[in-house]
Amino acid sequence: MINILIVDDQKHIRDGLQAMVSQFPMQPGTIYGAANGMEALQLLRQHDIQLVITDIRMPEMDGLALMAHTKEERIKVEYLIISGYSDFAYAQKAIGLGAKGYLLKPVKREDLQASVEHVWQEILTRQELSLNMKHIARRAQETDRKELCMFMQGAVNDTAWVEQTEQHNPELWRSYRLCLLREQLWINQPGASSSHSLESIAYRVYGSKGYLALQHGPQLILAVNASVDAGALPAALQAEQLDAVIGMTDPQQGLKELPGSYTQVMELYRHSYLFPDKRYILPAHIERLSQQGQLPYEDLYALFQLIGTKNSGKIAQGLSMIFHKDVLQRYHIRYTQQLIGATVQLLEEYERVIRPYMGEEALDMECLRNLFDYPSIRDYIQALQQQLLRLNQFYYDYNCSYRNTQDLNEAIRFIHESYHKPLDLAMVSNHVSLNYAYFSNLFKKNVGKGFAEYLRDVRLDKARRLLAETEHKIVEVAAMVGYESYKSFTRAFRDVMDMQPTEYRQLMRRKYERECRDTAL
């Protein structure tokens, strides 16, 4: 039996889920309930709970923060995520934190039951596998896995260490392939599995001495016996109906070849995005790809010339042609990455022009930075198309709404030019020679927010950049963006960002450090 915790800030949803789960044939143990992440975390600390079914967006502490806290505190518990369709980006992050699946509201009884039973079965399988692999665990204690993983990723180690480590598993290191596995996870897929279930299948294919897990995240990387047919693992995964991306290197001999093999398997993984229909990818699949390709700048410029028109269909079609798989599959993955970079740069340039008139709306550029954040290249192109069509709509609405409002345009320009100075509505209305009351109504009607709120958002946007990109003191940043006092600045920042300026700066620095580490890898 397993104990289950259901977390949702809406009591009727929480009660409904508890009623459903209590009637499942598997007969769960205790079913706990919590209205937010803070309550849930306290229950997890106090009780032996195996599964949490949680909403993503909640007050106090949301589902993602709850997952992060339990991970930091090493509380061993599985998660199923329940939320609305619009929160899929959050669901991707939750799956990245180890969630077993993502279900849409309103939850269907059969989907929830399938997900819960899948997690329960995986717990039983993992317990059984643990018993069968005790001797492997003892062997793993002799070999420092962390040091081996660092050596694989390029850390220098001496010849004596290599020879000694090689002796811990001589049969494997005599002839091995490096294998990378990443399971494809789809929205509303019940019971999405994890590296544990993938590894259990590898155990059945290669045996206890025929494989070694070198890395569990963000992708599972195994060293496997090269004498076993390369198609055996993909066939086993297919038999289990697991859709996984598999990259497999050429056979290698000796542990000293591990860093080079790691470089090769990461190249295969990145190139797997070019070949979404292949179940596994080998070096032979990418040997003939051209290393250089001329980016279609003229086609890109022609595409962006359509921005602000009614030709959304042509925009989508043009993007599909530029990113057509027959073109991308001719070149090394660097071509696709450079093409993405050029497209996002144009998006940013166009968005920068219209940003002052977008009000609270904004394009999500961060979600387009990294192709490999997506399950497949199809998902990435879909996200890119969505942002491009949003930009087109912004420009179209702007052209329609602001065609005869040159005074308002001048007022907005003046705000962005003078935000760092003492500024009020009277000064701006005088600048464009309009009546105070008339200008106030015109501004709110066309911009969608009042003057004071808009000025605050402009100033805080500049402040966020200064906090993230400079070393200026907080009091200096406050003065630089037009606030007369440190106290009024911090209050406004906290009201909008729900955190202090110092916390925001620390958050951006941690994010920058993570990006640097990811780039280095």
Side-chain angles (χ1 to χ4, degrees):
M1 289 172 51
I2 62 173
N3 297 325
I4 297 175
L5 170 60
I6 296 174
V7 191
D8 198 298
D9 59 321
Q10 298 184 54
K11 187 176 186 302
H12 69 281
I13 294 178
R14 190 166 66 248
D15 292 344
L17 291 173
Q18 287 179 314
M20 271 196 276
V21 172
S22 65
Q23 297 172 11
F24 287 168
M26 57 172 283
Q27 289 297 304
T30 305
I31 302 175
Y32 300 90
N36 55 58
M38 291 293 292
E39 292 183 14
L41 189 58
Q42 290 298 325
L43 289 170
L44 286 167
R45 289 167 176 163
Q46 297 168 4
H47 302 282
D48 183 23
I49 296 171
Q50 289 75 39
L51 174 62
V52 175
I53 303 171
T54 180
D55 192 7
I56 289 181
R57 296 195 181 190
M58 295 179 293
E60 301 292 335
M61 179 190 292
D62 64 21
L64 294 178
L66 172 62
M67 293 183 71
H69 275 288
T70 54
K71 191 172 183 180
E72 290 174 2
E73 296 184 21
R74 298 184 179 180
I75 299 174
K76 293 183 179 180
V77 64
E78 309 291 2
Y79 280 91
L80 289 174
I81 300 301
I82 297 177
S83 197
Y85 183 82
S86 61
D87 291 332
F88 181 46
Y90 292 93
Q92 286 181 309
K93 294 179 182 178
I95 290 172
L97 286 169
K100 295 297 181 182
Y102 176 69
L103 298 172
L104 288 174
K105 289 182 178 179
V107 178
K108 296 181 180 178
R109 177 191 176 90
E110 56 270 25
D111 286 346
L112 181 61
Q113 181 175 336
S115 298
V116 172
E117 289 180 351
H118 183 96
V119 174
W120 174 230
Q121 187 59 46
E122 184 176 307
I123 292 172
L124 292 179
T125 302
R126 193 158 59 239
Q127 291 172 347
E128 182 180 353
L129 183 62
S130 177
L131 291 175
N132 294 334
M133 297 179 67
K134 282 185 177 180
H135 62 288
I136 295 179
R138 288 192 294 269
R139 183 68 59 84
Q141 290 175 359
E142 300 169 7
T143 304
D144 188 340
R145 294 287 185 88
K146 184 176 181 180
E147 193 171 10
L148 187 58
C149 183
M150 291 175 63
F151 174 71
M152 175 182 71
Q153 295 176 359
V156 177
N157 233 313
D158 57 34
T159 303
W161 178 88
V162 172
E163 293 176 352
Q164 181 182 1
T165 305
E166 209 168 42
Q167 291 307 309
H168 294 154
N169 204 335
E171 293 182 9
L172 176 63
W173 298 121
R174 188 174 297 120
S175 180
Y176 65 95
R177 297 175 186 268
L178 214 57
C179 179
L180 182 149
L181 301 96
R182 177 177 63 88
E183 189 176 3
Q184 299 278 43
L185 299 173
W186 306 103
I187 188 168
N188 211 27
Q189 175 185 351
S193 65
S194 65
S195 62
H196 296 292
S197 51
L198 294 173
E199 191 176 342
S200 67
I201 294 173
Y203 173 75
R204 295 204 299 268
V205 172
Y206 297 101
S208 61
K209 296 183 179 180
Y211 89 100
L212 182 64
L214 301 174
Q215 176 180 295
H216 286 95
Q219 298 90 26
L220 177 64
I221 297 181
L222 310 174
V224 300
N225 189 341
S227 65
V228 178
D229 181 69
L233 182 58
L237 292 172
Q238 185 177 6
E240 293 289 335
Q241 297 183 333
L242 294 179
D243 187 11
V245 172
I246 307 175
M248 196 171 291
T249 68
D250 292 327
Q252 306 291 332
Q253 295 181 343
L255 186 59
K256 66 179 181 179
E257 301 299 329
L258 184 61
S261 189
Y262 175 73
T263 300
Q264 186 181 54
V265 82
M266 292 306 296
E267 279 293 280
L268 293 174
Y269 159 66
R270 287 188 282 268
H271 280 87
S272 69
Y273 278 76
L274 300 180
F275 304 98
D277 299 326
K278 290 186 182 296
R279 289 198 169 270
Y280 66 106
I281 184 167
L282 301 172
H285 294 138
I286 66 174
E287 285 176 352
R288 297 184 180 180
L289 296 181
S290 176
Q291 294 294 317
Q292 298 292 335
Q294 182 64 42
L295 294 181
Y297 287 110
E298 291 186 4
D299 293 339
L300 276 174
Y301 295 146
L303 175 67
F304 277 83
Q305 286 298 312
L306 296 172
I307 295 297
T309 69
K310 292 184 178 181
N311 296 318
S312 58
K314 288 185 177 180
I315 292 173
Q317 183 180 12
L319 186 69
S320 297
M321 293 302 297
I322 291 172
F323 284 88
H324 198 282
K325 69 175 185 177
D326 291 344
V327 176
L328 302 184
Q329 289 176 358
R330 298 176 196 164
Y331 303 107
H332 189 280
I333 189 65
R334 283 193 300 272
Y335 171 86
T336 300
Q337 291 177 283
Q338 291 168 359
L339 182 58
I340 286 172
T343 307
V344 172
Q345 183 179 353
L346 280 172
L347 264 172
E348 288 179 321
E349 291 176 2
Y350 272 70
E351 192 259 358
R352 193 177 298 118
V353 173
I354 202 172
R355 186 182 301 158
Y357 313 105
M358 293 168 65
E360 295 181 354
E361 299 287 343
L363 297 183
D364 186 1
M365 294 298 183
E366 291 304 315
C367 78
L368 303 177
R369 301 291 182 197
N370 189 1
L371 165 64
F372 308 115
D373 287 341
Y374 288 80
S376 71
I377 195 169
R378 293 190 184 107
D379 294 277
Y380 179 84
I381 294 172
Q382 197 170 49
L384 181 60
Q385 177 180 298
Q386 181 184 32
Q387 297 302 318
L388 188 61
L389 292 179
R390 286 190 68 208
L391 179 69
N392 177 63
Q393 189 63 48
F394 281 135
Y395 265 84
Y396 181 76
D397 291 344
Y398 166 75
N399 290 337
C400 293
S401 301
Y402 290 95
R403 190 169 295 126
N404 298 314
T405 57
Q406 295 301 313
D407 290 332
L408 187 58
N409 292 343
E410 173 57 25
I412 290 174
R413 186 201 66 77
F414 180 68
I415 293 170
H416 280 263
E417 185 181 79
S418 310
Y419 69 90
H420 57 288
K421 303 175 183 178
L423 202 62
D424 57 28
L425 183 62
M427 294 171 62
V428 180
S429 61
N430 287 336
H431 177 77
V432 293
S433 301
L434 289 177
N435 174 270
Y436 180 95
Y438 173 79
F439 174 73
S440 178
N441 291 331
L442 175 69
F443 191 95
K444 188 169 186 178
K445 178 181 178 182
N446 286 276
V447 177
K449 60 177 71 173
F451 167 80
E453 184 181 358
Y454 185 83
L455 177 60
R456 180 203 65 187
D457 289 347
V458 170
R459 285 172 167 170
L460 292 183
D461 180 60
K462 306 296 183 182
R464 286 193 294 269
R465 286 173 175 251
L466 290 170
L467 290 169
E469 299 173 5
T470 74
E471 297 296 329
H472 290 299
K473 296 179 180 178
I474 306 299
V475 67
E476 293 174 340
V477 171
M480 292 169 71
V481 297
Y483 280 89
E484 296 181 355
S485 72
Y486 171 83
K487 185 176 180 180
S488 61
F489 169 67
T490 55
R491 183 171 59 249
F493 195 95
R494 186 178 62 249
D495 289 345
V496 173
M497 299 299 297
D498 199 26
M499 65 178 71
Q500 295 287 355
T502 52
E503 294 175 308
Y504 179 81
R505 172 169 275 172
Q506 292 169 359
L507 179 66
M508 290 298 100
R509 286 178 177 174
R510 287 196 296 269
K511 180 180 178 183
Y512 175 75
E513 289 170 358
R514 285 198 303 270
E515 290 175 351
C516 289
R517 285 197 300 270
D518 293 344
T519 302
L521 293 178

